[in-house]
Amino acid sequence: MLLLAMFFMPLKGSPLSPVVTTSRGLVVAAEGHAAEAGATILRKGGNAVDAAVATALTLAVTYPRAGNIGGGGFMVVRLADGTATAFDFREVAPAGATRNLYQDAEGKLVKGRSTKGHLAAAVPGTVAGLALAMQRLGSGKMAWADLVEPARALAEKGFEVTDAMAEDLRASADLMGANAAARRIFLRDGNFYRAGETMRQPHLAATLARLQAEGPREFYTGRTAELLAADMAAHGGLITKEDLANYRPVERAVLRGAYRGYELITMPPPSSGGIALLQMLTMLEGHDVAALAPAGAAKIHLFVEVMRRAYADRAAYLGDPDFTKIPVAALLDPDYLARRAATIDSNRATPSKMIGGGLASVTEAEKPEPLETTHFSVMDAAGNVVSCTYTINGIYGCGVVAGETGILLNNEMDDFTSLPGTPNTFGLVQGEANAIHPRKRPLSSMTPTIVLRDGKVVIVTGSPGGATIINTVLQVITNLIDHHMTTSEAVAAKRFNHQWLPDAITYEPGLASEAVMDELRVRGHELKLRKLYPNDPPRWSGMQGSAETIVVDPVTGLRTGAPDGRRPGTAAVSD
Ligand code: GLY
């Protein structure tokens, strides 16, 4: 039952966020049909995990720029009985992938090879991961076919293309125009969709029908796998039937941390997000953040210095834990982080070239990832929660629809280090721990996170945005805990990002007054307004990732879902 739905007027200059408050369950997602699909499953007696599965599958149809079954992601679950676990369904490199895959004979990076076309795709994990989550922690009251049905029906019958989506598709004409199936489905061979028209995806509907009838393994061993592998073979891609048959999602122990009396449950490697978030919060804990103006120079300076140090460690030490030994305990050791924080000069920016991985003298960097991916948060009436971030990496992934499957594939191979120690196509240097290796998972920044107080869930959040994800999650959480903002204010507040290299703060328009910006410059910071990302329509220019967030009032137990107005079409729907 919807108790309250209103258009909340957030902070001056910020996008509008339609906020929903309820005593029952709710789903907050980047697209309305997908949020509704999840809420429908809740109404039918499914739990938060069941609803998350239906939402994820529906986003693959209605939000193809990031929603997917051709990519991968992470889901952090916390049940009302206290059980907490994480599902890692990150894509893996095909068995045929080599360390120098994206270099030419002279060892130079080939522009676009790791981002466009079949060679950029890693083996998708989404279907297997969602199925594992459902099997492990679903209510047991819903059949897999029931959870697939909303997505299948929308793929078959179609849905109305919004203004934003029409604009978005047109802006991706270069990327998808190079692939016949993507060009036909998403660009209508140049007869671009206009707002109000209906998009139908019959091939995707048929694939989803096969998944319904034969179960999730069909994706990996059935007709879908055959079609996908055949399309790869025909176009110089690497993913084979064996790669698909061998794909396995992993259930991992969640990463736990604390901040000012709150408990955090977040994603372990192969996400860098959990470790970096906990590092930053621990470094901040010694400072009275609440006493600082939320958009003042002292606050932004402190946060940037903390970000710089955490991202330097990220680049030096993090990768797939199955391939790289990650010193998790050492990186999260409070004594280490106190020493690290003690190197912060409260008046001067520390140049990033002076900061390496803090455990040793490593000075490599990580490239920024494209500003896409999508996050959704789910809570059911019983108090089970899901924080899920999943992705095809770039907007519309590698721009390839795998033949007659209707599945848009990821370009997650670009999240690997393509050329260790040398600037990549974005002009940045990357880390060795994340080098390409067959069957390895690329390092991710996705940071699905749940925050508790006295054993009760108070925040469920996460974000898209590649390397900016971790800093978005940091700012949402500290806006709530330190600055006591309302849910809507915390999500809408202007954001900034520093990721060690490049050594510059990127910021959203309107972050702070000119006086504050000048003060930051005086302290030695370079400031850059966020730019339009490749393929992004102008209306999304300058935005850091959106954070679809649920906040629970610890006194009343009321849940407020705040979809982030940075993305047109985001929605909170209660059951
Ligand atoms: N592809 C974005 C991420 O995983 O961080």
Side-chain angles (χ1 to χ4, degrees):
M1 179 187 50
L2 180 69
L3 288 185
L4 175 66
M6 59 183 178
F7 281 87
F8 186 91
M9 186 61 71
L11 294 179
K12 191 165 173 274
S14 301
L16 285 170
S17 285
V19 168
V20 172
T21 298
T22 178
S23 60
R24 294 187 49 84
L26 83 163
V27 183
V28 190
E31 195 280 326
H33 292 93
E36 179 58 37
T40 302
I41 296 299
L42 294 180
R43 282 176 212 124
K44 288 183 176 169
N47 69 3
V49 176
D50 298 327
V53 172
T55 296
L57 292 169
T58 304
L59 283 166
V61 177
T62 57
Y63 193 69
R65 62 178 272 138
N68 70 83
I69 57 172
F74 303 131
M75 182 187 286
V76 176
V77 181
R78 202 256 184 194
L79 298 185
D81 68 4
T83 307
T85 195
F87 296 102
D88 163 5
F89 47 101
R90 184 72 163 160
E91 303 93 322
V92 299
T98 54
R99 187 182 165 83
N100 302 337
L101 188 60
Y102 303 112
Q103 301 169 24
D104 64 16
E106 276 132 40
K108 296 209 184 79
L109 281 179
V110 181
K111 196 169 181 330
R113 198 185 268 180
S114 65
T115 53
K116 290 184 194 159
H118 292 72
L119 204 58
V123 184
T126 295
V127 172
L130 297 178
L132 177 63
M134 180 202 166
Q135 175 216 321
R136 281 276 297 110
L137 297 179
S139 66
K141 294 182 194 153
M142 306 300 297
W144 165 256
D146 298 333
L147 304 188
V148 181
E149 180 53 20
R152 192 210 58 77
L154 282 158
E156 184 189 84
K157 295 188 191 119
F159 61 95
E160 202 172 287
V161 171
T162 61
D163 229 13
M165 188 177 188
E167 204 177 278
D168 196 16
L169 289 168
R170 192 180 279 261
S172 292
D174 280 353
L175 176 72
M176 295 202 280
N179 175 254
R183 191 169 63 234
R184 194 174 57 249
I185 296 166
F186 294 111
L187 308 177
R188 286 200 306 202
D189 287 320
N191 178 24
F192 293 111
Y193 277 103
R194 288 183 302 274
E197 291 188 311
T198 300
M199 174 183 276
R200 293 187 187 83
Q201 299 171 74
H203 282 152
L204 185 56
T207 294
L208 290 165
R210 283 195 301 278
L211 290 179
Q212 262 183 325
E214 295 171 44
R217 284 302 291 164
E218 196 282 335
F219 187 98
Y220 298 94
T221 56
R223 175 98 183 115
T224 302
E226 263 166 36
L227 289 169
L228 203 157
D231 193 62
M232 281 280 149
H235 295 95
L238 293 180
I239 301 173
T240 62
K241 275 173 70 175
E242 290 68 37
D243 285 325
L244 290 162
N246 288 333
Y247 182 84
R248 294 287 180 275
V250 184
E251 185 172 353
R252 299 190 187 272
V254 294
L255 206 57
R256 291 178 188 270
Y259 183 62
R260 303 197 201 282
Y262 290 80
E263 185 193 347
L264 282 100
I265 297 176
T266 187
M267 193 67 205
S271 176
S272 60
I275 289 179
L277 176 68
L278 296 182
Q279 282 193 312
M280 292 193 285
L281 288 170
T282 304
M283 285 189 268
L284 288 175
E285 189 136 28
H287 296 262
D288 188 2
V289 173
L292 303 175
K299 145 86 186 276
I300 295 172
H301 174 82
L302 172 65
F303 272 54
V304 162
E305 292 308 310
V306 159
M307 290 170 181
R308 187 196 307 279
R309 285 158 178 78
Y311 276 73
D313 279 353
R314 175 193 193 276
Y317 305 115
L318 303 189
D320 182 345
D322 293 343
F323 287 77
T324 306
K325 195 166 163 21
I326 302 177
V328 178
L331 289 168
L332 295 178
D333 176 20
D335 290 340
Y336 162 64
L337 292 167
R339 287 197 304 278
R340 193 76 159 147
T343 66
I344 296 174
D345 179 333
S346 55
N347 295 311
R348 288 296 303 166
T350 314
S352 284
K353 60 177 185 294
M354 309 283 291
I355 303 272
L359 302 179
S361 58
V362 181
T363 55
E364 290 165 353
E366 173 67 19
K367 66 184 173 177
E369 295 138 308
L371 193 81
E372 215 25 69
T373 298
T374 189
H375 176 84
F376 56 91
S377 298
V378 184
M379 184 160 197
D380 63 25
N384 305 306
V385 289
V386 171
S387 181
C388 183
T389 314
Y390 79 146
T391 185
I392 44 175
N393 194 29
I395 300 155
Y396 299 109
C398 66
V400 167
V401 168
E404 290 185 12
T405 64
I407 299 169
L408 191 57
L409 293 171
N410 68 83
N411 58 357
E412 219 68 59
M413 291 299 286
D414 193 56
D415 267 356
F416 279 117
T417 301
S418 296
L419 187 53
T422 305
N424 69 354
T425 43
F426 299 99
L428 295 164
V429 185
Q430 311 173 68
E432 177 67 34
N434 188 32
I436 302 174
H437 193 282
R439 300 190 190 90
K440 185 175 171 181
R441 285 159 152 83
L443 183 63
S444 171
S445 298
M446 293 185 287
T447 315
T449 298
I450 297 164
V451 183
L452 298 100
R453 179 92 200 194
D454 302 327
K456 290 197 183 126
V457 171
V458 287
I459 306 169
V460 187
T461 192
S463 174
T468 67
I469 291 173
I470 317 166
N471 289 333
T472 294
V473 173
L474 174 76
Q475 285 163 80
V476 170
I477 290 173
T478 52
N479 284 346
L480 289 161
I481 293 179
D482 290 312
H483 297 309
H484 304 291
M485 293 186 189
T486 67
T487 313
S488 192
E489 286 171 340
V491 166
K494 301 298 184 188
R495 298 203 256 270
F496 56 95
N497 181 64
H498 194 291
Q499 56 191 54
W500 181 40
L501 292 178
D503 191 350
I505 303 171
T506 53
Y507 64 94
E508 294 185 324
L511 170 70
S513 68
E514 263 319 301
V516 166
M517 302 310 252
D518 284 343
E519 195 179 330
L520 288 166
R521 285 187 195 99
V522 168
R523 287 175 191 232
H525 295 286
E526 187 182 340
L527 290 153
K528 287 187 178 161
L529 196 61
R530 285 204 78 78
K531 287 227 182 78
L532 182 64
Y533 277 73
N535 307 333
D536 238 351
R539 73 164 75 203
W540 291 356
S541 179
M543 302 288 185
Q544 206 162 301
S546 61
E548 317 312 338
T549 300
I550 296 173
V551 174
V552 185
D553 184 319
V555 179
T556 63
L558 285 175
R559 297 97 191 249
T560 296
D564 192 329
R566 285 171 176 78
R567 288 284 180 271
T570 52
V573 181
S574 68
D575 64 352

